[in-house]
Amino acid sequence: MSASINLICCSFSYVPQNSSKFKTLIRARNLSQQSPVLSKRTSNSSVFLKPNNRIALVSPFQQKGVLKICQSSLNTQNSEEEAGQDKGLSVDNGKEGRDWTTSILLFVLWGALMYYVFNLSPNQTPSRDMYFLKKLLNLKGDDGFRMNEVLVSQWYIMGLWPLVYSMLLLPTGRSSKNNIPAWPFLVLSFFGGVYALLPYFVLWSPPPPPVDENELEKWPLNFLESKLTAGMALAAGIGLIIYAGLANADIWREFFQYFRESKFIHIMSLDFTLLSAFAPFWVYNDMTARKWYDKGFWLLPLSLVPILGPALYLVLRPSLSDLPVTVSKTTSE
């Protein structure tokens, strides 16, 4: 009986617990806690709202010294559990805890970027752009024209970026709070680059779901988690960067001239820049998901180096099969 008593009149004389008035006060107090609407509707018959009664309804606006609320440890524990349950329901059902500011900003960025690509980007040499594209796709034979070395290097690096992002997003960049898969956007990124990945960045909702142990042995995770794949990506990136770095100043000036005139090269250069800018975040996300931040934090500044920094991280990161916290073992029935 004493554990449920949470109302003590401190400004008045002692009221025995077995008195009828005390029981009426406790009963009315419990009814007011269970149903606030009921206490308002029964204001005429409730003891708390009688005008001549010196005991007032407990509220944040009452005068100090009138009443003192003393809750038992049992009631406090129950109230904390109910608050935790209410908070969990609000997050799960309404998803009120998620901050949509980043998603909105990314969506605005994607919309502005698409408008710029289709309406504002330079397009002075469309016929030359088509010729360059056929040459880069090996659809034209050797006609004596030497392609710009920086342009060729950037073209092949753009083929490496989707592979690097696939290794960063699968599986630690998947969403657990929605049913939107990452692989369609990654497949489209081989053709559309960051313009195809940005919609997934908008819809992405962490944390990643657990990975089955059997899933790591199947395609594509067995390929994306392979150190051989990461090493090949790093070696190819080093070779392409060296190939562009050995070009003389005239070749670089020619490339910047292409950037100012060509729609194709202008869009590809923006794609390269944005993929390089987003890569450190996904390196950090993958690093924290693998519980490797304490040992691999020094790789975060290096991930700012285009293609080489993220590729180096992919070579050095621990395998998911060595992390029992991330990988969930499937039990046979």
Side-chain angles (χ1 to χ4, degrees):
M1 179 66 184
S2 61
S4 62
I5 297 174
N6 54 13
L7 182 63
I8 298 179
C9 302
C10 301
S11 301
F12 305 100
S13 60
Y14 170 76
V15 181
Q17 296 186 8
N18 57 359
S19 65
S20 61
K21 183 177 180 180
F22 184 84
K23 292 181 179 179
T24 304
L25 291 175
I26 297 301
R27 189 180 298 109
R29 169 65 178 171
N30 293 334
L31 288 175
S32 64
Q33 289 180 348
Q34 295 177 1
S35 178
V37 178
L38 180 61
S39 64
K40 292 181 181 180
R41 292 182 178 178
T42 58
S43 58
N44 295 328
S45 60
S46 176
V47 181
F48 292 92
L49 299 181
K50 287 184 179 181
N52 296 326
N53 199 331
R54 298 183 64 182
I55 301 178
L57 180 64
V58 178
S59 66
F61 306 98
Q62 75 178 87
Q63 297 177 357
K64 296 181 179 179
V66 178
L67 287 179
K68 181 179 180 181
I69 304 301
C70 300
Q71 295 183 352
S72 65
S73 60
L74 179 60
N75 292 336
T76 304
Q77 182 178 2
N78 293 336
S79 62
E80 291 177 355
E81 292 177 357
E82 292 175 358
Q85 292 177 357
D86 294 338
K87 183 178 179 180
L89 290 175
S90 63
V91 172
D92 293 338
N93 296 335
K95 296 183 180 180
E96 297 176 356
R98 180 180 176 184
D99 184 14
W100 289 91
T101 304
T102 304
S103 297
I104 294 174
L105 292 176
L106 287 174
F107 180 77
V108 172
L109 173 64
W110 180 71
L113 193 63
M114 297 305 294
Y115 180 82
Y116 177 82
V117 165
F118 287 104
N119 297 284
L120 301 178
S121 59
N123 191 20
Q124 301 179 15
T125 57
S127 59
R128 189 178 66 185
D129 289 352
M130 185 60 62
Y131 174 78
F132 283 169
L133 185 60
K134 290 181 180 180
K135 290 283 289 185
L136 292 171
L137 292 173
N138 295 321
L139 298 179
K140 276 188 171 294
D142 188 8
D143 54 0
F145 180 79
R146 182 179 177 83
M147 291 290 294
N148 185 280
E149 286 84 353
V150 180
L151 174 60
V152 174
S153 177
Q154 186 185 60
W155 169 261
Y156 286 107
I157 288 176
M158 296 308 298
L160 286 178
W161 269 125
L163 176 61
V164 170
Y165 268 86
S166 297
M167 299 177 73
L168 290 174
L169 294 178
L170 293 177
T172 58
R174 296 186 294 183
S175 295
S176 60
K177 295 183 180 180
N178 52 45
N179 296 323
I180 300 174
W183 66 265
F185 299 91
L186 292 170
V187 171
L188 291 175
S189 68
F190 281 91
F191 307 95
V194 73
Y195 310 107
L197 284 177
L198 272 174
Y200 180 74
F201 296 168
V202 173
L203 301 173
W204 175 66
S205 180
V211 183
D212 293 334
E213 189 174 8
N214 294 333
E215 192 177 356
L216 294 176
E217 302 174 358
K218 299 179 182 179
W219 173 268
L221 287 186
N222 58 351
F223 174 76
L224 298 176
E225 286 289 319
S226 173
K227 295 299 181 183
L228 178 61
T229 306
M232 293 175 60
L234 178 60
I238 293 175
L240 292 172
I241 293 295
I242 293 176
Y243 181 71
L246 293 177
N248 56 40
D250 294 334
I251 295 176
W252 279 95
R253 280 194 292 267
E254 182 184 41
F255 175 78
F256 287 121
Q257 184 66 27
Y258 289 159
F259 175 78
R260 291 189 294 266
E261 298 174 352
S262 169
K263 189 180 190 71
F264 164 61
I265 299 176
H266 191 89
I267 293 174
M268 184 171 60
S269 300
L270 290 179
D271 190 5
F272 174 84
T273 303
L274 289 174
L275 288 174
S276 303
F278 282 113
F281 169 79
W282 292 107
V283 167
Y284 172 77
N285 177 75
D286 186 81
M287 186 183 299
T288 53
R290 296 171 188 264
K291 313 296 183 183
W292 199 57
Y293 179 78
D294 293 337
K295 295 182 179 180
F297 68 93
W298 59 276
L299 288 170
L300 280 178
L302 294 179
S303 65
L304 295 170
V305 180
I307 204 65
L308 298 183
L312 178 63
Y313 165 76
L314 294 175
V315 173
L316 300 178
R317 70 179 181 179
S319 176
L320 280 177
S321 58
D322 300 333
L323 302 174
V325 177
T326 307
V327 180
S328 62
K329 295 183 179 180
T330 56
T331 58
S332 60
E333 296 181 359

